[in-house]
Amino acid sequence: MRVRGDRGVDVRDLSPASQYVQAVAATGARIRAASRWLNAVSVEADAAQRAAIADLPFVAGTRPVARTRRAAHDPPWTAESPTSAAFGVAETQLALLGVPALRECGLTGAGVVIGVQDSGFSLQHAAFAGLHVLAARDFVQGDDVVADEPGDGEGQDRHGTMVLSLLAGDDGDLYSGAAPGVSVILAKTERIDEEEPYEEDLYVEGLEWIEGMGADLFTASLGYFSGTSTRNTTARPRSCRRRRWWRSPTASSCSPPTATRGPSRAR
């Protein structure tokens, strides 16, 4: 995220070298996403294409795009919440975070830029009437529409809208988010009608885009209720088995590929 002051630019701000990306694409693999921070690309490739990518002299290694599993649970909640003139029905949740004390000190979201990444956002509610949206991008369908649109699952933008309201909603004495007055950058990176490994690609693209747009902070309230452990490749869906990251330790430079293979990527 953005550092207030003059941070400058370093190698992590540079994209993987275009000639490396082109060489990977020349194997017939389909490039899904490229990452500056990981110095890598994500691709769809069959067995022969994966072997060809692994043999490229600048590729440090390949691995499946990660996937995880989280058990479903129902958090406790009460149907009725106390209200106040300052925070409306959000009184209890904001008190748990210590927000009322911050408001008494005159602190709000004014002057802060926060990136929000989720399944989509509907901005038609009155609580978003004064919301300052600096930029919005749909990485699922490749456009700038972050609300529901043809091709989305039913209710696609519902979760992101609720998360955004917790942060930036402001509906007078009926409801208040934690940081009214904040400016936001919105990234739609998740589908709700399927859970596939390519969503990790979209997450990486969205996060790097938000950082590049100058956000001070970033939030993503995302989790997955089903999936396949990366330890068991035999149970991995075909779409997951075909995806691989490649990484070059010098992919951010403009030098041509060399015959030296870099160390395997580990994290």
Side-chain angles (χ1 to χ4, degrees):
M1 299 298 101
R2 182 178 60 168
V3 177
R4 294 179 183 271
D6 185 11
R7 179 181 66 86
V9 177
D10 60 28
V11 68
R12 291 168 296 182
D13 293 299
L14 303 177
S15 299
S18 60
Q19 63 266 40
Y20 292 168
V21 178
Q22 292 168 6
V24 171
T27 66
R30 184 167 81 89
I31 306 293
R32 293 202 63 97
S35 170
R36 294 179 285 121
W37 296 349
L38 297 176
N39 198 20
V41 295
S42 178
V43 305
E44 287 187 20
D46 59 26
Q49 292 162 346
R50 294 200 304 269
I53 292 171
D55 285 339
L56 292 172
F58 51 83
V59 173
T62 65
R63 73 182 188 192
V65 171
R67 195 166 187 177
T68 188
R69 175 181 295 154
R70 181 168 67 93
H73 67 280
D74 295 322
W77 71 292
T78 58
E80 296 183 2
S81 299
T83 64
S84 71
F87 306 111
V89 295
E91 168 76 17
T92 299
Q93 63 198 40
L94 294 181
L96 290 172
L97 300 174
V99 171
L102 297 177
R103 296 283 184 86
E104 290 177 1
C105 295
L107 297 176
T108 65
V112 178
V113 178
I114 298 183
V116 186
Q117 192 158 300
D118 213 289
S119 60
F121 310 90
S122 175
L123 305 180
Q124 303 306 309
H125 195 279
F128 297 134
L131 181 63
H132 186 200
V133 179
L134 295 177
R137 180 67 181 165
D138 179 353
F139 289 87
V140 176
Q141 300 212 42
D143 55 37
D144 295 329
V145 180
V146 293
D148 282 357
E149 59 180 319
D152 288 336
E154 183 180 358
Q156 170 81 25
D157 61 15
R158 186 177 304 145
H159 183 268
T161 302
M162 291 188 290
V163 170
L164 182 60
S165 73
L166 296 174
L167 171 68
D170 188 2
D171 195 8
D173 59 1
L174 297 178
Y175 180 86
S176 176
V182 71
S183 298
V184 297
I185 299 170
L186 305 178
K188 176 180 171 182
T189 61
E190 301 294 315
R191 296 194 65 94
I192 64 169
D193 55 353
E194 63 181 12
E195 290 185 358
E196 291 290 339
Y198 75 84
E199 289 180 295
E200 182 183 86
D201 301 341
L202 304 183
Y203 187 100
V204 170
E205 285 189 307
L207 178 54
E208 293 188 8
W209 174 75
I210 285 173
E211 186 271 341
M213 294 296 292
D216 297 306
L217 301 168
F218 165 80
T219 182
S221 177
L222 299 171
Y224 301 91
F225 289 98
S226 63
T228 305
S229 168
T230 57
R231 295 180 180 178
N232 187 355
T233 57
T234 59
R236 191 177 309 283
R238 177 176 176 81
S239 59
C240 187
R241 291 201 305 269
R242 295 174 58 207
R243 290 181 174 84
R244 294 292 186 271
W245 282 99
W246 67 265
R247 178 182 185 271
S248 163
T250 58
S252 294
S253 70
C254 295
S255 58
T258 67
T260 302
R261 187 180 301 275
S264 297
R265 178 163 68 98
R267 65 174 183 177

